[in-house]
Amino acid sequence: MSRLPFARALSALVMGLSLLSTGAVAAEKVRPPEGIEIGMSTNEIAITSDFTGADLTIFGTLTNVDDYLQQIGQYDIIVTLEGPRVDTTIRRKARVFGIWINTEQMTFSAVPQSYSMTSTRLIKDITSQQELSTLNIGIDHIRLFAANYFGDIAVLDDFRKAFRRQMIDSGLYQSNPGGIRFVSPSLFRATVKLPANVPNGVHMVHAYLFKSGDFLMEKKLPLRVVKTGIEQSLTEAAYGNSFLYGLSAVLIALTIGWAGSVIFRKD
């Protein structure tokens, strides 16, 4: 009879060790989700009279990554810098009686005034076109919604293409695939460009993390672009008191014209 309690105790001990071992194995198999954290070289960019453009550096780190998947290049990053969103009108010209005039126009709602993108490689090699469109990533996937337009879809596509072409030609939309570099297995560096004609206002930096083509998460930070000095004063005058600003511009032009005629007048 004395052996029975001992056998029961031994059985309970073996069962407990088995449960602990199973729990440890399960804990090893559960990996925390991967993540991304970012920071910027500056939170504000000042535009002066001699501003010719700037580079914004984004530093970031990946967390809880699988070392093997990282070594074989299964993690990808896309970083974008989007300018303030405004309604934008694009016009189509046609020759009427020998004169080129605007005959059609279309307004796209809430589109970024500027857009700069960089990535670890070509975005078409990172994920599907459908995913890029869903996330609004890439110049070709920026949503261009024409409010109150119910006409021919072919005409809408023509205006969309014209808008993208115009923004690229002006330097406001640009991309740099392959511009993100890993400086260590988990640390990366990205550079996006701001053109000389970058708009004033709050811009947004977006960083997207992908694994094996699947979107994992996004981080974003605001960037302020502000005009300083005489440029800021002129901007405030133009928007804050447009009538006086226009009147002053006309008076200055008339004064300069009169002064020029006096100086260069032939007696």
Side-chain angles (χ1 to χ4, degrees):
M1 296 294 294
S2 61
R3 293 182 179 180
L4 185 58
F6 175 76
R8 289 177 177 175
L10 181 61
S11 176
L13 178 61
V14 171
M15 183 176 296
L17 291 175
S18 177
L19 290 174
L20 286 174
S21 176
T22 302
V25 171
E28 290 179 358
K29 290 182 178 180
V30 176
R31 176 185 293 275
E34 295 95 333
I36 184 172
E37 298 293 338
I38 60 172
M40 299 185 297
S41 55
T42 180
N43 294 320
E44 182 176 291
I45 291 180
I47 299 178
T48 58
S49 58
D50 58 349
F51 182 78
T52 58
D55 290 340
L56 176 69
T57 301
I58 296 96
F59 299 95
T61 181
L62 304 184
T63 59
N64 303 319
V65 296
D66 185 293
D67 293 337
Y68 174 71
L69 293 179
Q70 177 69 324
Q71 290 175 4
I72 62 175
Q74 292 301 298
Y75 290 101
D76 283 292
I77 304 164
I78 301 174
V79 173
T80 65
L81 175 63
E82 293 186 5
R85 290 180 173 267
V86 297
D87 292 349
T88 303
T89 299
I90 186 167
R91 296 173 175 84
R92 174 186 287 176
K93 291 186 176 182
R95 194 179 183 93
V96 178
F97 300 113
I99 302 175
W100 288 97
I101 61 174
N102 295 320
T103 56
E104 295 180 85
Q105 69 177 36
M106 188 173 294
T107 300
F108 295 114
S109 302
V111 295
Q113 292 179 275
S114 61
Y115 186 89
S116 182
M117 185 202 72
T118 187
S119 54
T120 48
R121 50 182 172 151
L122 292 172
I123 60 174
K124 68 180 183 63
D125 297 330
I126 292 178
T127 190
S128 66
Q129 297 295 311
Q130 180 178 355
E131 189 75 277
L132 293 172
S133 296
T134 300
L135 296 172
N136 201 28
I137 297 176
I139 296 174
D140 290 337
H141 301 282
I142 294 175
R143 295 188 188 94
L144 298 177
F145 174 71
N148 302 319
Y149 179 78
F150 306 99
D152 189 350
I153 189 65
V155 174
L156 176 60
D157 287 341
D158 288 342
F159 272 96
R160 284 171 171 167
K161 291 177 182 177
F163 171 80
R164 292 189 172 98
R165 183 172 59 252
Q166 179 177 303
M167 298 301 281
I168 292 172
D169 292 343
S170 67
L172 288 170
Y173 280 19
Q174 50 188 299
S175 61
N176 178 31
I180 296 180
R181 292 288 182 268
F182 279 96
V183 296
S184 77
S186 60
L187 298 176
F188 67 89
R189 173 178 175 170
T191 301
V192 291
K193 295 184 176 298
L194 287 84
N197 54 344
V198 62
N200 201 35
V202 178
H203 299 235
M204 291 300 298
V205 173
H206 300 259
Y208 305 87
L209 175 62
F210 296 83
K211 181 177 75 173
S212 303
D214 296 327
F215 170 65
L216 296 182
M217 69 173 300
E218 171 195 0
K219 284 285 184 176
K220 56 185 178 181
L221 291 173
L223 171 73
R224 292 182 67 243
V225 176
V226 295
K227 293 181 179 179
T228 59
I230 186 64
E231 290 80 7
Q232 179 64 16
S233 300
L234 291 175
T235 300
E236 291 177 353
Y239 286 94
N241 201 330
S242 57
F243 175 75
L244 289 179
Y245 177 82
L247 182 61
S248 299
V250 171
L251 291 175
I252 291 173
L254 290 174
T255 302
I256 292 175
W258 173 81
S261 66
V262 170
I263 294 172
F264 299 101
R265 182 176 57 190
K266 294 182 179 180
D267 296 330

